[in-house]
Structures are given as structure tokens and as C-alpha cells.
Amino acid sequence: MSNGTKCRCRRCTVCGLMGPAVLITVGVLFLIGRLNWGYTFWNLWPVLLIVIGAVRLAEAMASTEGHIGS
Amino acid sequence: MSTPSTPPAVVAKPLRRRSIFSGVLLIGLGVLFLYHNFRGGFDLLELLNRWWPLLLIFWGLTKLYDHFAARRTGQVAPRAITGGDIFLVFFTIALAASVGGADWTGRRGNFDFGAIFPHEPYTFSEELPAQPLKADSPVNISTDYGDITVVPQDAAELRVRIKKSARAGGEGEAKRLADKVSVAVSKNGDATQIGTQTQGGRVRVDLEVLVPKRASITARAPRGEIHVGGVAGSVNAEARNGNIEVRDAGGDVGAQIAHGDVHVVDSGGNVRISGRGGQIEVANVKGEATVDGSFYGPITIAKVGKGARFVSGRTDLTVSRLAGRFEASSGKLEISDAPGSVALVTNKNDVSLENVTGRIHIENKAGNVELRFTQPPKEDIEVSTESGNVELVLPAKSTFEVHAEARQGDIDAEFSDQLAKQVTQTQGSSRLDGKIGAKGPQIKLKTTYGAIRLHKSE
């Protein structure tokens, strides 16, 4: 019955943000490197760790109320 | 009793809680590496070596938090240790070790961004028309990306040779990129400025500047090397990622660096090196030499007319005259042939002094101290360390008064039988108060965990 239904609980929503967040961050970091503001991707890569960490932390803290599926 | 809304069709079984461990650890790592990239000044390998148990404690604490948080919300607690966690811990250690290891090889910061998009670099050379320049005028040179080389010449004129390199898919595009960048020569009061304009990060501009011999140079190359040879004036060099080399300068030399090596050889004035980086070499300086900052080393300072000073996170050294050399490499400080006084406060270094004739004051925390004299000491000596041995090698004809204390160790005064008899021992602690000859300097030696030895030199 729940087949094909997407879970809309908070955790699953946040979880879905991981991919886009990582892609956007990588894009922004490389862009900053191209803009010659004095930074390069190789200076800024730890920002990526922070973003991944923040999403994972949000996932762990988010409520799973109403979670559908296993 | 009726519920305000219909219950969901699927009864949600209580879901297992996720651990906060990975999230918090990744954020922490990110902040640490960002700080390292921008401020630096600490050694990741040493940090890892010393503080790794905190990782386990932190792991445990987050699991504890997970457990209680799950109980509070009625969820199933996360599994204690998952494969992902173990992977993350190894990932952390490997990352810190590899970034730290890259620091050691001194390659950090020299990474060429273009290497990710491997295009052929095309180079274009040009030379600005020579212009007259007063013999002793100051010259300021800067390029945002590229090397600076300063060459002295006899003629009272300024010449600028420019080499632009641009990475692009084709020569036409590279030329277009290179043409957008220009090098301007302008006057600013007394000084002549040579600088790149509208230089993007893709165009590298190497500058070779020929100046009158007596010129004073200020050079700034945030992403490149600086070489200055043979100018009679002062030299001030600021590089961030490249090396600095100044040879045969007549005046004062200043060098600021963030990653890279500094070599200053033959200088008529004072030398001052500051910042962070790898190797430091200072030799043949008429004035004072100061090295202030965190450098991986080895750091060598040799033949300094006036005093030499070395200040780092854990070491503060002042040598009033240095005819020989000072070397600091991992865990070792060595000074040889200093016809003046030595004052040193350090930690975690094995210290060795040879042929220092002035007053000596050494405070070490963890590490051995060894003093060798070729002439009988004339000035007072005071050495203390907390854990480490203290060893003194003196010529047979030395006269002195000695007060030595090894709180948890032995004193071996094989210098003379008379002295050896004066060693007293109480509950593992040894003391020696003695005198050789009628007149002589005071020698005070102290260690808590370690031995004290007094030898006679051959």
C-alpha cells in the first residue's frame, strides 16, 4: 500500500539534501578558485567536510515521526 | 475519544536513531583543516600523535549522548559501533596523517591549480623599454602569481623582463588571456613600483627585474618564488607559497613567508625572517639574525656578527655572538662555537652546546642537555631540565664551583675522584656540592627525572 509513496518525515527530507548540498558546495568552492579571490579549492576543501557533517548532524537530530517504509 | 486526524495507513514502527558521531566529527575536522590551511602554525602529525586518544573519548561521549537522547524520545538507540564509524575514524587518522605528511615534504601550497584542468601552458615573453633610475632608489615589485627575480647591474637604469604563462585550450585563447594582463611601472614618491595589473589566477607573470646595484628592493609574490642577488641596499621579501632566496645583500634583509623555504646568505645588515614554512638557512650576516615563527626545519643560522635570536612556539633562544652555527631540526637544538652568552628556554628538544665561552642559561622541560667545552669555562652556567640527562664535558684544567641536583637519578662525577666523593644520595635523590680549584665560575645543574654526568675531556 505504501509502495511508491515517498517518506515525508524530517529525517528523510534532510537526507535527500545531502547530494545537492555536496554538489553545490563543490561547485561554489571551485568557482571561488576561478574568481581569484586569493583562495583555491585546495585551501577551502575542509568546508566540504563541514557541510557533510552539518547535514549528517541535522539527520541525526531530525525527528522520524511519520516515517514510512523500513 | 477521537483523534483529530486519521492515523497513517502504515503504522510507523519506532525507527532506530542515528548517531550524531559522524556529523560532529566531520564538522570538527572541517574547522581544524580550515584553520590549518589559513592560519597554520601547528603540526598535524604532532597533534595526531599527542591527542589521538581524545578521538576515542569523543567517540564514547557521542555514543553516550545517543543512548540517552534515544531513551528520552523513546526511539531505539543507535548501534554502539557501526562499520561506518570505524571507517570514519580511520578516515580521520589517514586524512590528518596525509595532510600532515604533505606539510613535512614541504609541498603544500605549491599545488598548481591548473593541474586539474591539464591544458598546455603557453608562454609569451616581452621586455619593457629600459628607463633611467637613480642608483640608490627603492624599487617595489609585485606579481600576484609568478616568480620575481632581481638582478643587479652597473648601469643606472631599470629593465623589466616579463614572462607570461597562460593555460588554455589553444594558443589564441592563451594569447588573449595573456594580453589582458599588463605590467606597469609607476613612481610613488621616491620609489618605483613595478606591478601586474588585472592579473587573473590563470596567467602567471614571472618578472625579471634588472636594477642599479645600490637599489633597495621590496618584493611581493604571494604565489611564487623570490630571488634577489647582489643588491647593495636593503631587501624586503614577502612570499606566501613559494621560497625566498636573498644572496649577497648589502643592507638589512626581511623575509615573510607562509609556506616555503627561506635562504639568506651573505648580508651586510640585520636579517629578520618571520612566518611559517619549511627550511631556513641564514649564513654570513654582519648584523643580527632573527628567526621568528613556526618552521618545520631544519633551521640553520651560521656566522652572525652580532647576536642571533630564534623564537618558535616552544623555543626562545638568544645567542649574543655566533661565530659557528646553530641548527634546529626535529627534536634537536645544536649550537657550536659561540664566543658569547647563550640563553635558551625550550621544551621537547635535546640540546647540545659546543665551545660556548660566555654565560650559559638553559631551561629545558623534556630532553637532554649536553655541554662540551674545549676551554675551561669562565662564566657561570645554569642548566635545568625536568626529564632528561645533563652532561658536561670539561677540560682537565678547569676550575669551578658546582651545585648539582638529580631529584630522581644519579650523579656521576667522574671528572675527579675528589668530586665523586662529594656526591650524596638520599631516597633516590642525588646531590653534589663541590669545588675544583680556588676560583672559578658557578655551575648549577638540575634535573628531576634523569642523570647528571661530569666528564673530563681528552
Side-chain angles (χ1 to χ4, degrees):
Chain A
M1 206 168 140
S2 68
N3 273 353
T5 348
K6 257 196 157 174
C7 171
R8 297 195 162 274
C9 82
R10 296 288 283 277
R11 186 203 278 178
C12 290
T13 314
V14 174
C15 187
L17 292 178
M18 180 67 92
V22 169
L23 283 177
I24 292 170
T25 312
V26 171
V28 168
L29 294 190
F30 271 108
L31 185 67
I32 290 174
R34 303 308 272 174
L35 291 178
N36 298 310
W37 291 347
Y39 305 107
T40 68
F41 182 80
W42 307 107
N43 288 142
L44 294 170
W45 65 268
V47 171
L48 196 62
L49 291 185
I50 295 178
V51 169
I52 297 173
V55 175
R56 296 217 58 151
L57 191 62
E59 250 177 75
M61 307 290 261
S63 123
T64 54
E65 214 177 305
H67 181 79
I68 308 170
S70 52
Chain B
M1 287 282 160
S2 65
T3 42
S5 60
T6 50
V10 180
V11 179
K13 60 179 173 188
L15 200 62
R16 189 180 285 278
R17 219 186 136 81
R18 284 277 175 86
S19 173
I20 61 163
F21 173 68
S22 61
V24 178
L25 182 67
L26 284 169
I27 294 175
L29 275 184
V31 171
L32 178 75
F33 286 120
L34 264 190
Y35 186 82
H36 170 264
N37 284 358
F38 286 96
R39 297 300 308 278
F42 60 88
D43 182 348
L44 276 171
L45 288 181
E46 196 183 301
L47 200 76
L48 189 70
N49 189 20
R50 184 190 281 201
W51 296 106
W52 68 266
L54 280 184
L55 203 60
L56 290 183
I57 294 172
F58 166 73
W59 196 354
L61 284 177
T62 55
K63 294 292 159 184
L64 207 63
Y65 170 84
D66 291 339
H67 179 80
F68 285 109
R71 194 187 257 188
R72 203 173 54 233
T73 57
Q75 286 168 301
V76 183
R79 286 188 185 87
I81 292 170
T82 65
D85 288 348
I86 294 171
F87 169 78
L88 203 61
V89 168
F90 278 105
F91 171 76
T92 304
I93 292 169
L95 201 63
S98 60
V99 175
D103 282 348
W104 271 101
T105 59
R107 290 190 164 276
R108 262 204 68 76
N110 290 333
F111 196 92
D112 191 346
F113 191 60
I116 295 228
F117 304 105
H119 282 311
E120 276 292 298
Y122 293 93
T123 60
F124 308 94
S125 298
E126 56 185 288
E127 184 170 340
L128 298 184
Q131 45 180 289
L133 191 67
K134 247 180 46 208
D136 57 350
S137 50
V139 179
N140 302 341
I141 308 161
S142 96
T143 171
D144 294 335
Y145 174 25
D147 302 341
I148 294 175
T149 309
V150 179
V151 182
Q153 60 177 1
D154 292 326
E157 58 178 23
L158 177 77
R159 281 172 186 276
V160 182
R161 294 184 183 140
I162 304 159
K163 193 177 115 192
K164 296 178 192 167
S165 321
R167 284 177 189 277
E171 187 166 5
E173 197 200 337
K175 180 90 177 104
R176 199 176 47 77
L177 283 170
D179 284 344
K180 275 201 249 172
V181 185
S182 61
V183 175
V185 179
S186 61
K187 288 269 173 203
N188 182 6
D190 202 20
T192 304
Q193 315 252 23
I194 302 158
T196 57
Q197 286 181 330
T198 63
Q199 181 183 7
R202 284 175 76 179
V203 182
R204 179 186 176 106
V205 180
D206 296 327
L207 296 174
E208 188 183 338
V209 183
L210 280 72
V211 297
K213 245 196 164 81
R214 281 163 57 205
S216 291
I217 305 295
T218 305
R220 197 188 65 91
R223 288 172 67 197
E225 314 213 327
I226 298 175
H227 298 270
V228 182
V231 296
S234 66
V235 176
N236 218 319
E238 186 190 334
R240 217 162 54 200
N241 288 336
N243 303 334
I244 297 176
E245 187 187 357
V246 180
R247 289 189 188 270
D248 211 4
D252 291 350
V253 176
Q256 288 94 48
I257 198 156
H259 296 285
D261 305 339
V262 180
H263 298 270
V264 180
V265 179
D266 296 313
S267 160
N270 299 326
V271 173
R272 187 179 173 89
I273 297 170
S274 59
R276 305 175 183 84
Q279 262 185 51
I280 302 288
E281 182 197 359
V282 180
N284 300 337
V285 176
K286 288 240 167 63
E288 286 176 26
T290 308
V291 175
D292 182 353
S294 17
F295 300 98
Y296 294 110
I299 297 155
T300 57
I301 306 176
K303 299 205 171 97
V304 180
K306 291 180 187 164
R309 235 178 105 67
F310 170 60
V311 184
S312 76
R314 60 178 197 227
T315 299
D316 189 327
L317 168 74
T318 309
V319 182
S320 73
R321 280 174 67 205
L322 186 62
R325 63 190 257 126
F326 160 74
E327 179 164 350
S329 49
S330 58
K332 271 199 316 212
L333 297 177
E334 291 168 355
I335 301 168
S336 59
D337 302 316
S341 65
V342 170
L344 169 66
V345 179
T346 188
N347 184 12
K348 291 204 292 182
N349 273 310
D350 284 334
V351 178
S352 131
L353 263 63
E354 198 168 341
N355 198 16
V356 174
T357 49
R359 176 185 281 264
I360 298 173
H361 181 103
I362 297 174
E363 278 175 52
N364 198 353
K365 272 222 173 69
N368 302 324
V369 180
E370 190 186 328
L371 311 181
R372 288 176 174 276
F373 292 86
T374 44
Q375 296 297 318
K378 298 250 162 20
E379 304 278 346
D380 291 352
I381 298 166
E382 196 170 345
V383 176
S384 71
T385 179
E386 269 167 36
S387 64
N389 302 327
V390 178
E391 191 168 343
L392 234 74
V393 181
L394 299 155
K397 55 179 192 283
S398 305
T399 59
F400 53 85
E401 185 182 330
V402 62
H403 299 279
E405 185 185 2
R407 299 260 285 280
Q408 306 275 325
D410 296 329
I411 294 180
D412 173 8
E414 68 153 43
F415 181 83
S416 78
D417 295 339
Q418 178 204 344
L419 217 54
K421 277 186 208 128
Q422 280 166 302
V423 177
T424 56
Q425 269 188 319
T426 44
Q427 296 168 340
S429 155
S430 311
R431 266 205 84 89
L432 164 65
D433 297 283
K435 217 169 166 181
I436 298 282
K439 233 175 112 187
Q442 287 238 346
I443 300 180
K444 284 186 185 156
L445 312 171
K446 214 164 113 182
T447 177
T448 307
Y449 304 99
I452 294 176
R453 285 188 286 268
L454 280 151
H455 294 299
K456 209 183 270 184
S457 61
E458 305 304 313

